[in-house]
Amino acid sequence: MRTRNQCRTIAARYTVGEWCSDDGVSAKVTATQWTGLEVLLAKVREGDVFWWRRLIGSG
């Protein structure tokens, strides 16, 4: 699966403390409506690096 390969590429380049994913959310839904984003933002603390990347799967 393409998304898994993209995650491996990111993890090989950066230290990833935790992945947060909102799988299956339609691209028609705005990011502010994604429950996964709300959960992730609740975990972000001072000194953390928040890196947003929209990964597109192959299907």
Side-chain angles (χ1 to χ4, degrees):
M1 181 162 63
R2 181 174 168 196
T3 301
R4 182 173 292 153
N5 289 336
Q6 289 173 325
C7 290
R8 285 182 188 147
T9 300
I10 292 167
R13 185 175 233 185
Y14 303 97
T15 301
V16 178
E18 182 175 347
W19 289 97
C20 184
S21 177
D22 214 347
D23 298 326
V25 175
S26 170
K28 294 178 183 178
V29 176
T30 63
T32 56
Q33 295 174 312
W34 294 359
T35 56
L37 179 59
E38 183 177 344
V39 170
L40 175 64
L41 291 177
K43 295 180 179 185
V44 175
R45 301 290 178 247
E46 186 175 340
D48 287 349
V49 175
F50 176 74
W51 186 47
W52 177 275
R53 174 72 179 164
R54 184 172 181 191
L55 302 179
I56 306 298
S58 59

